[in-house]
Amino acid sequence: MVVALVLVLVAVGSVVFHLLSPWWFTPIASNWGYIDATINITFWITGFVFSAVVLFMAYCVFRFRHVDGRRAAHQPESTRLESWLGIATAVGVAAMLAPGLFVWSQFVTVPAGTAELEVVGQQWQWSFRLPGKQGRLGTSDPQYVSADNPLGLNPNDPKGRDNIVIVGDDLHLPIGKPVKLLLRSLDVVHDFWVPEFRAKMDLLPGLVTYFWFTPTKVGTYEILCAGFCGIGHPQMRGSVVVEEENAYQAWLGKQQTFEQLTKKQLAKK
Amino acid sequence: MGEVIFGSGGVVPAAELPDVELYHAKTWITKYVFSQDAKVIAVQYSITAMAIGVVALVLSWLMRLQLGFPGTFSFISAEGYYQFITMHGMIMVIYLLTALFLGGFGNYLIPLMVGARDMVFPYANMLSYWLYLLAVLVLVASIFAPGGPTGAGWTLYPPQAILGGTPGAEAGIILMLLSLILFIIGFTMGGLNYVVTVLQGRTRGMTLMRMPLTVWGIFTATVMALLAFPALFVAAVMMLFDRTLGTSFFMPSLVSMGEHLKYGGGSPILWQHLFWFFGHPEVYIVALPAFGIVSDLISVHARKAIFGYRMMVWAIVIIGALSFVVWAHHMYVSGMNLNFGFFFAVTTLIIAVPTAIKVYNWVLTLWHADIHLTVPMLFALGFVVTFVNGGLTGLFLGNVVVDLPLSATMFVVAHFHMVMGVAPILVVFGGIYHWYPKVTGRMMDDRLGKLHFWVTFLGAYAIFFPMHYLGLIGVPRRYYELGETAFIPKSAETLNVFITLAALIVGAAQMVFLFNLVRSLFNGRLAGGNPWNATSLEWQTPETPPAHGNWGKELPVVYRWAYDYSVPGAERDFIPQNQPPAGVAAQATITAVSAAH
Amino acid sequence: MLLFLAVVAAISGWWLSQQRLTSKPWLEEGVQGDFPGTGASSLPAAKLGLGVFLAVVGSLFALLISAYLMRVSTTSLNILDGPKLPGPRLLWFNTGMLVLSSVALQWAWLQARRRQMDGVRVNLLVAAVSALAFVAGQLLVWRQLTQSGYFLTSSPANSFFYLLTGVHGLHVLGGLAALGRTIARAWPGVATEPMRLGVELCAIYWHFLLLIWLVVFSLVMGWADDFADICRALIT
Ligand code: HEM
Ligand SMILES: [Cu+2]
Ligand SMILES: [Cu+2]
């Protein structure tokens, strides 16, 4: 009796908790609203299955608990019932998988004309590099890293000269324009994550990874590192500022290119 | 390792071995310390696993204290925190659960349940335990090594695991890898035993389809482990080389803390593939024995044949096979080719179907049953609730896009604790309450057992259910402290305090369990041979606890499957597997059918 | 790896299909003598054990080799995988030794079945000596390589070479220990059952190691490059 009651409480309590919980996603600020939609579908389906199974169990415990003289039924299997349940499950799973794969196919196809920029991770800070006037990113390699060249750009690559290098400052993005982030790390595995944009991706040394999104809401958003990278992992933060096009252009105009930075360093010496 | 195989020759199937050929212990030491009797080895495995498990439990308190009250406890540093999570995760998954299910339950139950006198290679079996103990000791040694144990997270991702900036990169990681290598060699010796004993040691009449699901679960898990552990072995050896000899299997050229290192040309993602090729099957290596055991607990205590036995067996085998082609669902955001996401999301969600069928069959077994709410049954019910919960959140994380926002958050932590932490641990407890009378001859205390169950079940649910919602907000895992983060509301801190309090209470309840375990050894009610009126062979031994050789003079002969409960027309509500059908003269004079009645 | 898994799956699948998995056990009472092949296996435990053990070793090497292939095919690295290892002529000699060893054991096994003990002893010795020669030869190869500047740490390709050959060599040494025991058993010159089994198991183990060596060898010689290309095509 008590057991059945507790089981009912667990099922009902979980659903009530879910409905009343003040803890939910941060408001979305990118084009990945479909991800939230898929999660919601999944919550409905799984919530239903969870309640059904637990309540069924509660009923059985209540109805078929041992009393003197009870004897269980002899019922080794029912292929019919099992198959039906299997099919129903498969349908439910497909209902979650289909939207999931649909959204994933959007995630893997970067729209043509998407602007590219680079995010570089190292213990424990974020840096960025934007293409300059030529619109291209030059090559890079950890072996070039030095105090004057913190991101390891190839000094001999003409394409890299006009690249804009941002170390220890915020990244700005224009609203409504898709961007493809090229990710690389100088030391260990990190992971670029802005919860408001939903998507995240690892940064690995020796490899360039990427993902894309379109910022859809003006504001300042915090970058977290979501790939455990040593003692400073929780402190590895940065900011992305999403703003209107003209504000963005104004910001862009104030940034320094790789060439300017190197010259300045030389002048200092 | 080759030697082991050739160690014991002889062409007589173990099932038919006459008693005289059994190894006989001569001294106290060979009987209880360097014992080759699977039952003693099982107890050794279990005690060691539980002892190291207590360490992991205490670590979880410390972690929770830090998360609930950040900044309050000055003795928990960031280094310490990361060392705690690493040790906690590694111990719980490998040194506790894997060792306990396979080394503990496997060793005790396989020979008894299939009607063998012992494992087929007793000597290798003994070595297996001692290597395991050595592995545990090396792990413990790493705690005291200079620089402390490794704090690289239980996944030990390179390059981070072997570079400065991660605690324990000096000696800790080396000892950790050595310990894993020892564990795997030891496990292989044990695993060969479990598999071959099931293949070759079954007594007459014990066909595969008459085996209890416990044996099916442990058997399949062992086969998987034998194929999956080599991946970890290879990876550990390679990383050990990277760390000590300066090779670059996993190390590209990089700049660590402003310093150029000699490494170059390796790939960190290779580690991730190898690790998860082991790591995902590992989840099922822990889950399948739990599936098997819980099926038997439910069936015995509901006095009803497990519903859909055939489907249950097929599901175990299918899940075991499929779990080798889903490993990369742990790597959706790892930077591997994104198109893999399609394949692995599909395979992952396909596994949900046989798994769901198992769940249905457990609860359908309760339909029209005769449910005795004993302590083992309570734990079995608790398992179903937590497993369903954790399994369903797995559908979130397996569905590749949903994993994008949720991976590496507390949602993941909550998910895997439900599904492979709490659920299997509940089965471990249920199993111990269930078989304790066979192992010791005495019952465990019922009142303490119920107290233990309620606090553990409800407490664990209170810890991990709300934790999902922290993950939804966006609280990342492996964060020593959250600090000021704009999008995280203050109320999340309150929730963290609540979770910590629940964790402390649950931890305390385990002390009740340990107390009960020890006290019942001396004070427990005498159990008799078959206190639960169960059908499977281990309850039909002539002596309780079973003597060396298990079966007295003659091996049992099996006439029926393990689930003849409440058969219409039968006199009692169970028929032991070795009870001959009416009208057939007993073929062997073993029986001694439970003196308990 | 997938290839290897497929083989294992096929074997287990075949075995399971022989076990009447679809029978309804609750309808069947009685001793299962009526259903041949569903009882315990009649193979000697040691032989079954070896079989399972070989599956484990196979998994180990399959993983190492897949790791190697995967590395060969990851081209996005910005540092080259290092120069190709030269295939010294010594490797051919070693391969020959291992083949000889395997053949000798096979022969020993045949003779053991026919109880020709003298032949058994000779062949076992030949096998042991040629296997030792193989191991010594491998060590020589290592020395030649280090002398010509191909160190363990020079490049991941080198590291893989040393690792693969090293692990394989250790397995041969392990086998030699077992072979030693078998020789000791065969020495009295009586054809006992355990001795015959020992010879048989050694022979199986040797063939298996030979097979693995041939795969490793072909990788080292670059014959498997086409295969690696196919893998690359599949992955990217
Ligand atoms: C009362 C019981 C337990 C509590 C309170 C607990 C608590 C925790 C906490 C706080 C973390 C760290 C989360 C983070 O910051 O990322 C953690 C990690 C972990 N726990 Fe538990 N845990 C418990 C039981 C278990 C069990 C039974 C298992 C067995 C599977 C387990 C396996 C793990 C693993 C694998 C990790 C991940 C470690 C890592 O991130 O490297 N835990 N646990
Ligand atoms: Cu980081
Ligand atoms: Cu997995």
Side-chain angles (χ1 to χ4, degrees):
Chain A
M1 194 59 213
V2 184
V3 182
L5 209 65
V6 174
L7 287 178
V8 172
L9 278 179
V10 167
V12 175
S14 303
V15 175
V16 170
F17 183 97
H18 177 83
L19 294 177
L20 298 185
S21 152
W23 301 296
W24 198 240
F25 308 125
T26 51
I28 192 164
S30 80
N31 59 321
W32 295 121
Y34 280 141
I35 293 184
D36 291 11
T38 314
I39 295 186
N40 278 322
I41 299 178
T42 315
F43 258 120
W44 284 110
I45 298 181
T46 55
F48 170 77
V49 174
F50 178 72
S51 316
V53 170
V54 178
L55 290 177
F56 179 85
M57 237 165 69
Y59 176 75
C60 288
V61 169
F62 167 70
R63 177 73 183 66
F64 305 113
R65 68 184 184 284
H66 177 71
V67 288
D68 279 339
R70 178 187 299 289
R71 195 151 174 166
H74 187 68
Q75 190 186 30
E77 71 172 13
S78 155
T79 322
R80 271 259 305 274
L81 180 58
E82 288 170 79
S83 321
W84 275 115
L85 285 171
I87 292 170
T89 309
V91 171
V93 166
M96 291 180 274
L97 190 57
L101 292 185
F102 170 72
V103 182
W104 185 250
S105 68
Q106 296 186 336
F107 187 75
V108 299
T109 8
V110 185
T114 300
E116 294 193 346
L117 65 92
E118 186 183 62
V119 178
V120 183
Q122 61 190 298
Q123 289 170 325
W124 290 280
Q125 66 170 355
W126 299 103
S127 314
F128 312 94
R129 177 159 65 116
L130 308 172
K133 297 252 148 40
Q134 302 173 56
R136 287 153 94 185
L137 290 170
T139 52
S140 66
D141 191 296
Q143 75 186 65
Y144 301 120
V145 171
S146 66
D148 303 346
N149 185 359
L151 301 190
L153 300 203
N154 182 350
N156 309 319
D157 184 350
K159 281 196 258 103
R161 297 249 165 84
D162 70 343
N163 288 181
I164 292 167
V165 173
I166 303 165
V167 177
D169 206 352
D170 300 347
L171 171 69
H172 288 231
L173 292 177
I175 189 170
K177 293 242 175 78
V179 277
K180 175 178 178 186
L181 302 186
L182 299 170
L183 311 165
R184 82 190 152 90
S185 162
L186 296 178
D187 41 36
V188 304
V189 180
H190 302 278
D191 189 294
F192 181 92
W193 186 37
V194 176
E196 287 87 347
F197 298 157
R198 298 297 184 261
K200 63 164 75 76
M201 191 54 68
D202 278 3
L203 286 67
L204 293 118
L207 206 66
V208 177
T209 57
Y210 71 90
F211 76 98
W212 77 276
F213 65 96
T214 311
T216 55
K217 216 164 98 187
V218 172
T220 305
Y221 305 103
E222 195 153 359
I223 308 170
L224 305 183
C225 179
F228 177 53
C229 56
I231 304 171
H233 176 53
Q235 279 87 39
M236 183 164 167
R237 308 282 176 111
S239 291
V240 182
V241 178
V242 176
E243 56 197 1
E244 299 294 345
E245 182 67 33
N246 38 17
Y248 173 73
Q249 289 303 343
W251 170 81
L252 197 61
K254 280 191 263 163
Q255 302 308 314
Q256 304 223 309
T257 62
F258 180 48
E259 205 167 23
Q260 286 165 334
L261 278 178
T262 347
K263 282 219 185 92
K264 216 176 355 178
Q265 296 288 357
L266 281 178
K268 255 195 234 156
K269 281 180 194 157
Chain B
M1 271 194 286
E3 222 174 344
V4 177
I5 312 306
F6 305 101
S8 45
V11 278
V12 194
E16 311 277 322
L17 273 185
D19 199 11
V20 279
E21 286 209 11
L22 260 189
Y23 167 83
H24 278 297
K26 298 197 181 55
T27 62
W28 187 86
I29 297 231
T30 44
K31 199 157 172 191
Y32 294 108
V33 183
F34 293 103
S35 173
Q36 303 188 17
D37 185 329
K39 296 187 292 296
V40 180
I41 296 174
V43 173
Q44 292 174 325
Y45 252 113
S46 308
I47 292 176
T48 313
M50 280 195 264
I52 193 75
V54 170
V55 174
L57 179 71
V58 172
L59 291 177
S60 79
W61 284 348
L62 295 176
M63 283 139 57
R64 271 322 313 179
L65 282 176
Q66 167 62 27
L67 293 180
F69 309 97
T72 315
F73 300 95
S74 54
F75 60 93
I76 308 177
S77 60
E79 282 94 341
Y81 181 78
Y82 289 124
Q83 291 168 329
F84 298 162
I85 64 166
T86 309
M87 289 292 118
H88 162 83
M90 202 60 116
I91 292 175
M92 285 289 189
V93 173
I94 295 187
Y95 300 85
L96 173 68
L97 286 177
T98 308
L100 197 54
F101 272 125
L102 302 180
F105 284 92
N107 260 318
Y108 202 88
L109 295 176
I110 291 177
L112 281 168
M113 283 186 157
V114 302
R117 294 203 179 276
D118 205 328
M119 288 289 180
V120 287
F121 311 120
Y123 187 73
N125 209 17
M126 176 186 81
L127 283 184
S128 160
Y129 169 72
W130 289 99
L131 280 170
Y132 165 63
L133 183 65
L134 191 61
V136 170
L137 291 179
V138 172
L139 183 81
V140 171
S142 86
I143 298 178
F144 302 103
T150 175
W154 87 286
T155 45
L156 303 179
Y157 276 10
Q160 178 246 119
I162 58 175
L163 294 182
T166 301
E170 302 86 11
I173 183 72
I174 300 181
L175 290 173
M176 178 81 251
L177 295 171
L178 282 177
S179 170
L180 286 174
I181 290 173
L182 287 170
F183 181 91
I184 295 169
I185 298 176
F187 171 77
T188 306
M189 296 186 172
L192 286 173
N193 259 304
Y194 316 151
V195 170
V196 178
T197 304
V198 171
L199 292 181
Q200 204 251 6
R202 279 171 288 136
T203 187
R204 284 181 61 206
M206 180 60 86
T207 60
L208 287 184
M209 293 309 275
R210 283 176 170 180
M211 295 196 306
L213 287 167
T214 299
V215 179
W216 268 109
I218 296 177
F219 172 70
T220 315
T222 308
V223 173
M224 289 170 60
L226 286 175
L227 295 177
F229 268 119
L232 185 61
F233 186 85
V234 168
V237 169
M238 282 157 67
M239 194 193 276
L240 205 55
F241 277 25
D242 279 4
R243 172 67 186 75
T244 55
L245 303 179
T247 54
S248 298
F249 287 110
F250 303 125
M251 307 293 282
S253 69
L254 44 79
V255 193
S256 173
M257 316 242 156
E259 216 185 308
H260 289 266
L261 299 184
K262 286 202 313 287
Y263 295 111
S267 152
I269 225 168
L270 174 62
W271 168 274
Q272 302 185 15
H273 278 295
L274 288 172
F275 184 88
W276 289 115
F277 186 83
F278 143 78
H280 186 83
E282 170 63 31
V283 174
Y284 286 93
I285 290 166
V286 170
L288 289 183
F291 289 178
I293 290 171
V294 87
S295 309
D296 286 355
L297 295 186
I298 291 181
S299 171
V300 172
H301 297 274
R303 317 304 302 155
K304 189 162 169 263
I306 190 74
F307 189 78
Y309 174 82
R310 296 190 296 159
M311 200 69 104
M312 294 300 248
V313 170
W314 301 338
I316 286 182
V317 174
I318 292 173
I319 292 172
L322 280 181
S323 64
F324 278 99
V325 288
V326 299
W327 77 90
H329 64 206
H330 298 268
M331 299 168 59
Y332 286 144
V333 296
S334 72
M336 66 172 180
N337 189 329
L338 292 179
N339 288 317
F340 285 166
F342 292 106
F343 174 77
F344 286 102
V346 173
T347 53
T348 302
L349 291 217
I350 287 178
I351 291 200
V353 178
T355 312
I357 289 177
K358 293 195 76 77
V359 173
Y360 302 145
N361 284 354
W362 288 322
V363 294
L364 285 171
T365 305
L366 300 177
W367 187 250
H368 284 292
D370 173 21
I371 300 173
H372 293 244
L373 289 169
T374 54
V375 177
M377 184 61 164
L378 289 176
F379 275 103
L381 296 177
F383 163 84
V384 177
V385 174
T386 48
F387 181 76
V388 171
N389 191 294
L392 289 169
T393 50
L395 293 175
F396 287 72
L397 299 172
N399 200 352
V400 54
V401 281
V402 180
D403 189 53
L404 282 177
L406 295 181
S407 68
T409 66
M410 287 316 244
F411 190 94
V412 174
V413 176
H415 152 73
F416 71 69
H417 275 91
M418 270 298 187
V419 79
M420 77 168 302
V422 179
I425 285 276
L426 290 180
V427 175
V428 165
F429 289 137
I432 291 178
Y433 284 99
H434 183 77
W435 279 292
Y436 189 86
K438 180 52 57 177
V439 181
T440 65
R442 288 174 187 273
M443 306 295 285
M444 284 180 77
D445 186 88
D446 211 47
R447 291 234 307 278
L448 288 180
K450 287 198 166 134
L451 176 70
H452 174 221
F453 167 75
W454 285 115
V455 178
T456 306
F457 169 59
L458 293 178
Y461 199 79
I463 299 173
F464 295 114
F465 184 75
M467 197 186 274
H468 291 95
Y469 292 83
L470 286 177
L472 283 179
I473 308 173
V475 178
R477 76 188 273 209
R478 293 172 170 174
Y479 264 38
Y480 163 65
E481 57 189 356
L482 262 176
E484 286 298 315
T485 307
F487 63 86
I488 293 174
K490 274 274 170 287
S491 57
E493 286 171 25
T494 323
L495 184 55
N496 257 327
V497 173
F498 170 78
I499 293 178
T500 298
L501 293 180
L504 293 177
I505 295 172
V506 169
Q510 307 321 307
M511 303 305 137
V512 175
F513 167 72
L514 292 178
F515 172 72
N516 193 355
L517 202 66
V518 176
R519 203 187 70 149
S520 305
L521 207 54
F522 307 104
N523 284 354
R525 198 158 45 79
L526 285 179
N530 190 358
W532 310 115
N533 288 343
T535 57
S536 46
L537 281 186
E538 82 274 23
W539 299 105
Q540 325 303 337
T541 54
E543 285 160 88
T544 297
H548 186 61
N550 293 350
W551 305 106
K553 278 231 155 2
E554 283 186 61
L555 286 170
V557 177
V558 170
Y559 298 95
R560 59 192 73 249
W561 71 330
Y563 297 96
D564 265 345
Y565 289 102
S566 307
V567 179
E571 181 189 328
R572 290 177 301 174
D573 69 351
F574 72 107
I575 314 177
Q577 281 192 279
N578 59 349
Q579 179 171 320
V584 177
Q587 297 211 3
T589 50
I590 350 88
T591 37
V593 179
S594 53
H597 319 281
Chain C
M1 189 60 216
L2 288 178
L3 213 68
F4 171 76
L5 275 182
V7 172
V8 172
I11 295 177
S12 357
W14 169 81
W15 174 72
L16 280 174
S17 67
Q18 304 289 307
Q19 300 292 320
R20 307 185 67 249
L21 280 198
T22 49
S23 62
K24 297 189 176 162
W26 53 93
L27 300 179
E28 297 166 352
E29 267 186 350
V31 185
Q32 216 66 354
D34 342 342
F35 308 111
T38 56
S41 159
S42 57
L43 288 173
K47 200 162 162 184
L48 259 180
L50 178 67
V52 178
F53 180 67
L54 290 186
V56 176
V57 178
S59 170
L60 184 84
F61 279 99
L63 281 158
L64 269 174
I65 291 169
S66 326
Y68 174 73
L69 287 177
M70 191 184 132
R71 294 296 299 119
V72 173
S73 62
T74 310
T75 45
S76 52
L77 284 168
N78 43 19
I79 291 195
L80 288 176
D81 262 4
K84 268 238 137 55
L85 291 159
R89 219 180 292 141
L90 199 49
L91 280 178
W92 278 106
F93 172 76
N94 291 348
T95 309
M97 278 296 133
L98 201 58
V99 173
L100 177 65
S101 192
S102 224
V103 170
L105 269 176
Q106 179 69 23
W107 202 348
W109 178 36
L110 284 178
Q111 285 168 327
R113 280 203 306 203
R114 296 200 210 106
R115 295 169 190 276
Q116 298 163 341
M117 285 313 292
D118 292 343
V120 172
R121 275 186 286 190
V122 172
N123 273 315
L124 286 181
L125 279 184
V126 170
V129 171
S130 49
L132 273 175
F134 169 80
V135 174
Q138 294 289 79
L139 287 175
L140 261 180
V141 171
W142 280 12
R143 234 188 57 180
Q144 281 183 2
L145 281 175
T146 44
Q147 274 167 0
S148 39
Y150 291 94
F151 296 108
L152 171 67
T153 55
S154 313
S155 82
N158 289 11
S159 312
F160 266 109
F161 175 79
Y162 283 101
L163 185 65
L164 276 167
T165 48
V167 173
H168 181 263
L170 280 179
H171 278 85
V172 175
L173 284 179
L176 272 169
L179 185 61
R181 283 184 58 158
T182 311
I183 293 180
R185 271 196 201 144
W187 215 244
V190 244
T192 59
E193 200 49 54
M195 184 279 293
R196 234 176 306 161
L197 185 67
V199 175
E200 179 182 357
L201 297 185
C202 282
I204 297 175
Y205 185 66
W206 246 251
H207 300 337
F208 187 77
L209 285 187
L210 176 62
L211 184 76
I212 288 181
W213 171 247
L214 291 178
V215 175
V216 173
F217 188 47
S218 63
L219 280 180
V220 174
M221 300 299 285
W223 298 332
D225 280 3
D226 292 343
F227 183 67
D229 283 340
I230 298 174
C231 290
R232 183 173 337 166
L234 281 179
I235 288 176
T236 48

